[in-house]
């Protein structure tokens, strides 16, 4: 019962209304660099789908956890171009 209520409360915003932030992160990763996309507002399954599309476009591995999309390596420019092309607001 509570599960359905929480999922309806958190509807995914349209790409034009999303304001995503792209940051380069090396904390707690053994010196390895990852590109993190934060600020997504919406359902977890939509975040997972977006993460898969971005990782495929970049030709890189990564993961989605704690509300962030993590892409291995410094992929800021590729991610920024792809997100802008899909209509997402990027800062």
């Amino acid at each position: 019962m509570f599960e359905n209520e929480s999922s309806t409360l958190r509807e995914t915003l349209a790409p034009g209304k999303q304001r995503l932030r792209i940051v380069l992160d090396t904390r707690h990763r053994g010196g390895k660099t990852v590109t993190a996309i934060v600020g997504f507002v919406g359902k977890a399954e939509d975040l997972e789908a977006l993460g898969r599309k971005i990782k495929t476009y970049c030709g890189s591995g990564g993961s989605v956890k704690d509300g962030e999309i993590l892409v291995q390596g410094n992929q800021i420019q590729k991610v920024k171009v792809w997100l802008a092309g899909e209509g997402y607001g990027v800062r």
Side-chain angles (χ1 to χ4, degrees):
M1 180 172 165
F2 292 109
E3 190 175 310
N4 290 338
E5 289 177 18
S6 66
S7 66
T8 57
L9 294 176
R10 190 144 195 206
E11 288 298 313
T12 302
L13 292 178
K17 294 185 179 188
Q18 296 274 2
R19 294 292 169 242
L20 302 178
R21 203 173 69 209
I22 304 168
V23 294
L24 207 54
D25 191 11
T26 56
R27 292 177 290 154
H28 309 290
R29 304 189 195 290
K32 305 220 188 260
T33 303
V34 295
T35 303
I37 299 102
V38 297
F40 183 83
V41 178
K43 296 179 182 176
E45 53 268 12
D46 293 334
L47 180 63
E48 290 278 344
L50 181 62
R52 271 193 304 278
K53 290 176 186 176
I54 290 172
K55 291 184 298 184
T56 300
Y57 176 78
C58 292
S60 182
S63 65
V64 176
K65 58 177 141 176
D66 300 328
E68 295 181 337
I69 300 170
L70 304 173
V71 181
Q72 293 176 347
N74 184 349
Q75 306 286 348
I76 289 178
Q77 286 306 113
K78 280 186 177 182
V79 170
K80 192 177 287 189
V81 167
W82 189 86
L83 287 173
E86 294 292 312
Y88 286 90
V90 180
R91 323 181 241 171

